[in-house]
Amino acid sequence: MEKTFNRVRSTKDIIISVGLTLAGCILVALPTATSVNILGFFMIFAGILLFLMLRTGYKEQESGVQYCKVEHFFSQTEKAKLSEVVASKPSSISLAEEDKGNAVRLDVFYSRKSGKAYVQLYEYIPYKYEPCSRQFEYPISEVSNIIK
């Protein structure tokens, strides 16, 4: 059964937006030049905007465990080899051919907390990526060379 991942705010997203907002509040509160106060207002606005928009984490729908996502892009010529390797031994995937095209995308969702990783291959069909392999579950140690 395929796992479904929803985008959520990660701890890093929250820290960035709260830190930016607090720094802006401090700049506004300080008795300094007007330009520093204006910068503070822009920082507050940016922090609030980032809080509303940033969602870099992924939560697995059934268990609620939070995952990180890594994407690698490959050329179309690598598709057959990648399909075979993803199904059998993902630790042998070579990233030397990465970024020489964007016809094939390798998605890896991993969580160090749960110790699991989910790997799936996608192929670019005009205007979107369609799955071209099923989703495989591996221990995180099997995919450690891909998630660096």
Side-chain angles (χ1 to χ4, degrees):
M1 182 177 159
E2 303 259 331
K3 299 287 184 177
T4 305
F5 297 95
N6 298 325
R7 292 182 77 124
V8 294
R9 286 182 191 88
S10 66
T11 307
K12 182 178 158 185
D13 299 338
I14 294 169
I15 290 171
I16 289 171
S17 59
V18 168
L20 199 55
T21 305
L22 286 176
C25 289
I26 290 170
L27 287 178
V28 169
L30 289 175
T32 56
T34 306
S35 59
V36 176
N37 290 342
I38 292 172
L39 175 64
F41 280 117
F42 277 114
M43 289 176 71
I44 291 169
F45 178 71
I48 292 169
L49 191 64
L50 285 176
F51 181 75
L52 296 173
M53 297 182 76
L54 273 182
R55 292 174 187 252
T56 59
Y58 292 86
K59 187 176 276 191
E60 199 268 307
Q61 199 169 28
E62 291 176 11
S63 67
V65 176
Q66 196 160 351
Y67 286 80
C68 296
K69 180 181 180 183
V70 176
E71 295 178 342
H72 297 288
F73 295 91
F74 298 93
S75 66
Q76 185 68 33
T77 57
E78 297 288 316
K79 180 184 172 194
K81 184 175 104 176
L82 282 171
S83 295
E84 186 178 302
V85 172
V86 164
S88 60
K89 189 169 168 103
S91 59
S92 63
I93 292 176
S94 172
L95 297 180
E97 296 298 317
E98 182 188 15
D99 290 335
K100 293 188 178 174
N102 61 354
V104 178
R105 183 179 81 191
L106 177 68
D107 284 359
V108 181
F109 292 95
Y110 66 94
S111 171
R112 298 201 191 281
K113 184 178 179 181
S114 70
K116 294 180 184 176
Y118 297 95
V119 181
Q120 189 169 13
L121 206 57
Y122 291 85
E123 181 178 19
Y124 183 75
I125 309 295
Y127 307 112
K128 65 180 177 177
Y129 282 94
E130 294 287 336
C132 63
S133 75
R134 68 181 189 86
Q135 198 173 56
F136 297 96
E137 180 182 336
Y138 292 105
I140 201 164
S141 60
E142 276 286 316
V143 295
S144 60
N145 66 326
I146 307 171
I147 61 175
K148 290 182 181 176

